[in-house]
Amino acid sequence: MHKYLDNPSYTKPSTYSTSSPLEILHRISDDARFEGLFDGPGDGNIETLFKNHEDLIMEHWNAWKIVDPNKQFQDSQEAAVALLVRTVKPGKHAYDFFMVHLLTTSHAVRTLIPQIPKRFHISLVRQWWLLTIAVYVAQLRPKIDDDIDAKPDKQWNYVEDKAINGPWATDAHFVKGMYAKKYESELY
């Protein structure tokens, strides 16, 4: 997907503009042009998505107007948390494997940014954002329920205990996801 950053012709004005990553995800969710593209969710949809519907992805990707990089990167990380937490139906604990990866890759971006020259920061974040959009669409755009609070109602010691002693203690994806969220929450 690096070609979208390497070739400036892919970065062009969109049909709309916003500084909010979550607003873009809501617009994607409501965009009927994505209806029926795939038989089911999965990472195999990403290649087909870019091959057959690149214009749709580019429209939403280019809608993100970055005016305050630090604040908007924080907003994008919070959008990754929302994709993980707010797309699970109440009463269920079936977190989407690929949405967890958006959270852990967000953490990776956060870790890399201080290590690379400043001129690459926005490009790196935009590349991650393109992956986020692609994964969200490939997973069939699950509804982001704004009524579900993405902020935990329990303290981190509870989460740490569950990560070590709970039913998901042997699930590396649970542990990675919780670590990424905890680390991100300590930064802001």
Side-chain angles (χ1 to χ4, degrees), residues 85-115:
V85 176
R86 294 182 182 176
T87 57
V88 176
K89 294 186 190 312
K92 305 283 183 195
H93 288 90
Y95 294 100
D96 186 298
F97 173 79
F98 295 105
M99 300 301 185
V100 173
H101 282 299
L102 294 178
L103 189 56
T104 57
T105 56
S106 170
H107 173 67
V109 169
R110 175 66 186 92
T111 302
L112 287 171
I113 280 182
Q115 308 301 319

Side-chain angles (χ1 to χ4, degrees), residues 2 8 17 23-24 41 45 56-57 60-61 68 74 88 98 107 113 131 140 145 163 168-170 172 181:
H2 65 85
S17 175
E23 179 183 337
I24 292 170
N45 294 338
L56 291 175
I57 294 298
H60 291 287
W61 180 59
D68 183 350
Q74 179 182 352
V88 176
F98 295 105
H107 173 67
I113 280 182
L131 172 68
L140 306 181
D145 189 345
W168 303 289
T170 59
K181 176 57 185 145

Side-chain angles (χ1 to χ4, degrees), residues 132-188:
T132 300
I133 290 172
V135 168
Y136 181 57
V137 174
Q139 293 304 98
L140 306 181
R141 304 170 299 130
K143 179 180 175 1
I144 302 166
D145 189 345
D146 289 328
D147 291 333
I148 298 173
D149 189 5
K151 299 195 185 312
D153 60 350
K154 299 196 174 12
Q155 300 301 315
W156 281 114
N157 58 349
Y158 172 84
V159 175
E160 289 169 357
D161 177 64
K162 290 300 177 192
I164 295 168
N165 303 310
W168 303 289
T170 59
D171 182 344
H173 298 292
F174 173 79
V175 175
K176 287 188 306 187
M178 291 304 98
Y179 175 80
K181 176 57 185 145
K182 182 174 193 281
Y183 180 76
E184 180 251 324
S185 72
E186 290 173 351
L187 294 172
Y188 303 110

Side-chain angles (χ1 to χ4, degrees), residues 9-29:
S9 71
Y10 289 106
T11 302
K12 52 190 168 196
S14 179
T15 58
Y16 70 99
S17 175
T18 180
S19 62
S20 169
L22 201 52
E23 179 183 337
I24 292 170
L25 294 173
H26 282 298
R27 284 181 176 248
I28 291 169
S29 177

